[in-house]
Amino acid sequence: MKRVTINERPDWRDKATEFGFHFHTINNEPYWCEEAYYEFTLAQIEELEETTAELHQMCLKVVEKVVNNEELLTRFSIPPHCWDFVRSSWKTCQPSLYSRLDLAYDGKNPAKLLENNADTPTSLYETAFFQWIWLQDQINAGHLPQRADQYNSLQEKLIERFAELRESHGFNLLHVACCQDTTEDRATVQYLQDCALDAELPSEFLFIDEIGLGEKGQFTDLHNQVISNFFKLYPWEFMFREMFSTKLEDAGVRWLEPAWKSILANKALLPLLWEMFPGHSNLLPAYFAQDKNQPLTHYVTKPLFSREGANIQITENGQRIAQTEGPYGAEGMIVQQFHPLPRFGDSYTLIGSWLINDQPCGIGVREDRQLITQDSSRFYPHIILDPM
């Protein structure tokens, strides 16, 4: 695993505008970066792929345990009135679309799972599409060898999955939604709409706060059309606390992501994984923060619902060495053994490993000068290149 410098494409900003990549700069700081790239060998990519597949199956076993245990559902801070809804989504095998595992990996030692972004993962567009365009452009310009490849079949797998949802699960129209005033979320949803259209699955967009409730308890769009299949870039833990959450079970909606993903996206997953698979080479010791036998001295404290690096604290020998602000924490906390991200120059590197329909299919690489990766951490493209 190497970090290699390269010339930027002179026209990449024009291409970003052309393709609707409007969040390549965040708060006047670069988010998309291409003055360098990460180089992996095929063996390293195969290791990441195998690790991702195994970790995902382990996570699904946690779901099976949690949905059948009210004490655990409570520890996951899922409201009691939603337990049957979550349990039913699992028992009836409600289909999923995608997820992303965040891994610490240096190309030499086993990858370590930091968390599972299984409900509303972002960085999809730049991983699936824009870094692939970068690869083709740099090969065509002679800046990368013709044999350079990329671990990236996300777009192909997304289109296949949408086609399967249409053909095998009866999705004839997909409503899609996100919050207002979120450029990145809106772009992600638009990209998914484009993939669905390529699969001949039509979609209609509305914002989350535009969802209506019909006379028969069904959710409706702005045209009073009943919503039957719904992709939402909006966390389940928020939905469980909305006024309409009591209507979720009877609304007749097939959700992407399904409600059982609320377990995978919850940081309480991490101590359950460690309890069920103690000592696994791809896991870090993790415990509920309130557990009195928590033995760690160098650890990361994470709220159950934390997203994009918010409200994270790193503690070493009783001293807090890093922290971020945010709105989370009242729901409960877990602690996870600190594991250093690989460092290249002055930055720390995180791997986001993607799955579509439970199948590993690509990675994205993020960098930050801080120990904690956040929403504005820089994105870098990658290639696969074995020595000649």
Side-chain angles (χ1 to χ4, degrees), residues 134-149:
W134 168 87
L135 175 68
Q136 300 304 310
D137 286 347
Q138 294 289 33
I139 290 175
N140 292 337
H143 297 149
L144 289 174
Q146 288 290 327
R147 59 192 176 87
D149 200 356

Side-chain angles (χ1 to χ4, degrees), residues 26 30 40-41 46 60 65 83 91 137 152 179 210 244 252 290 292 313 316 325 351 370 385:
I26 299 176
F40 297 83
T41 65
E46 288 174 342
L60 294 181
K65 182 174 183 176
W83 288 355
K91 299 297 185 183
D137 286 347
N152 185 4
C179 294
E210 294 174 337
F244 60 69
Q290 64 268 34
K292 294 182 179 180
Q313 300 176 4
E316 184 175 12
E325 303 300 321
I351 305 292
Q370 306 301 316
L385 190 66

Side-chain angles (χ1 to χ4, degrees), residues 368-385:
D368 203 295
R369 292 183 179 88
Q370 306 301 316
L371 285 170
I372 302 170
T373 306
Q374 301 180 65
D375 60 341
S376 59
S377 299
R378 304 179 303 279
F379 188 103
Y380 281 85
H382 79 276
I383 69 169
I384 305 171
L385 190 66

Side-chain angles (χ1 to χ4, degrees), residues 23 177-189 205 207 233:
F23 56 96
C178 66
C179 294
Q180 300 200 42
D181 303 321
T182 54
T183 302
E184 179 182 1
D185 287 3
R186 183 66 187 96
T188 300
V189 169
F205 175 82
F207 289 110
L233 202 61

Side-chain angles (χ1 to χ4, degrees), residues 166-236:
R166 176 178 56 81
E167 296 166 0
S168 302
H169 296 272
F171 281 55
N172 55 359
L173 174 66
L174 181 66
H175 282 82
V176 300
C178 66
C179 294
Q180 300 200 42
D181 303 321
T182 54
T183 302
E184 179 182 1
D185 287 3
R186 183 66 187 96
T188 300
V189 169
Q190 181 61 61
Y191 174 67
L192 287 168
Q193 286 184 269
D194 292 342
C195 291
L197 186 59
D198 283 346
E200 301 181 7
L201 175 58
S203 63
E204 291 194 14
F205 175 82
L206 70 163
F207 289 110
I208 283 288
D209 58 9
E210 294 174 337
I211 300 172
L213 190 64
E215 294 180 358
K216 297 181 180 180
Q218 297 167 307
F219 294 128
T220 58
D221 63 16
L222 293 172
H223 308 290
N224 290 320
Q225 181 175 210
V226 172
I227 296 173
S228 298
N229 308 297
F230 203 172
F231 173 88
K232 50 150 198 69
L233 202 61
Y234 188 70
W236 273 117

Side-chain angles (χ1 to χ4, degrees), residues 101-174:
L101 304 184
D102 284 349
L103 305 174
Y105 181 66
D106 60 5
K108 302 173 185 176
N109 300 294
K112 300 292 187 180
L113 176 67
L114 300 182
E115 58 188 61
N116 189 343
N117 298 275
D119 184 15
T120 59
T122 52
S123 77
L124 176 69
Y125 172 85
E126 49 272 40
T127 303
F129 182 75
F130 207 67
Q131 72 166 341
W132 181 258
I133 297 297
W134 168 87
L135 175 68
Q136 300 304 310
D137 286 347
Q138 294 289 33
I139 290 175
N140 292 337
H143 297 149
L144 289 174
Q146 288 290 327
R147 59 192 176 87
D149 200 356
Q150 192 174 90
Y151 179 39
N152 185 4
S153 61
L154 269 79
Q155 182 162 299
E156 172 189 341
K157 295 290 195 303
L158 280 169
I159 295 169
E160 289 176 357
R161 181 55 170 164
F162 280 126
E164 183 180 358
L165 292 172
R166 176 178 56 81
E167 296 166 0
S168 302
H169 296 272
F171 281 55
N172 55 359
L173 174 66
L174 181 66

Side-chain angles (χ1 to χ4, degrees), residues 164-345:
E164 183 180 358
L165 292 172
R166 176 178 56 81
E167 296 166 0
S168 302
H169 296 272
F171 281 55
N172 55 359
L173 174 66
L174 181 66
H175 282 82
V176 300
C178 66
C179 294
Q180 300 200 42
D181 303 321
T182 54
T183 302
E184 179 182 1
D185 287 3
R186 183 66 187 96
T188 300
V189 169
Q190 181 61 61
Y191 174 67
L192 287 168
Q193 286 184 269
D194 292 342
C195 291
L197 186 59
D198 283 346
E200 301 181 7
L201 175 58
S203 63
E204 291 194 14
F205 175 82
L206 70 163
F207 289 110
I208 283 288
D209 58 9
E210 294 174 337
I211 300 172
L213 190 64
E215 294 180 358
K216 297 181 180 180
Q218 297 167 307
F219 294 128
T220 58
D221 63 16
L222 293 172
H223 308 290
N224 290 320
Q225 181 175 210
V226 172
I227 296 173
S228 298
N229 308 297
F230 203 172
F231 173 88
K232 50 150 198 69
L233 202 61
Y234 188 70
W236 273 117
E237 64 264 20
F238 291 177
M239 293 191 70
F240 289 162
R241 287 157 178 80
E242 299 277 5
M243 288 183 61
F244 60 69
S245 63
T246 57
K247 307 293 185 181
L248 287 169
E249 190 168 7
D250 300 323
V253 178
R254 285 183 295 190
W255 298 93
L256 293 176
E257 296 297 319
W260 55 264
K261 283 292 194 80
S262 63
I263 295 171
L264 293 186
N266 192 307
K267 302 300 185 297
L269 171 78
L270 300 170
L272 262 290
L273 280 169
W274 186 248
E275 177 184 305
M276 293 173 65
F277 306 97
H280 192 283
S281 62
N282 300 121
L283 296 177
L284 294 168
Y287 308 88
F288 289 97
Q290 64 268 34
D291 288 353
K292 294 182 179 180
N293 61 345
Q294 188 275 106
L296 305 176
T297 58
H298 194 181
Y299 57 89
V300 184
T301 305
K302 301 179 179 182
L304 301 189
F305 299 155
S306 174
R307 291 171 184 273
E308 298 181 329
N311 298 100
I312 304 296
Q313 300 176 4
I314 302 177
T315 302
E316 184 175 12
N317 297 322
Q319 299 295 316
R320 191 173 301 163
I321 62 173
Q323 67 175 10
T324 55
E325 303 300 321
Y328 305 102
E331 71 277 10
M333 315 282 277
I334 65 100
V335 293
Q336 182 184 48
Q337 180 178 292
F338 175 79
H339 184 81
L341 292 172
R343 188 169 183 175
F344 294 84

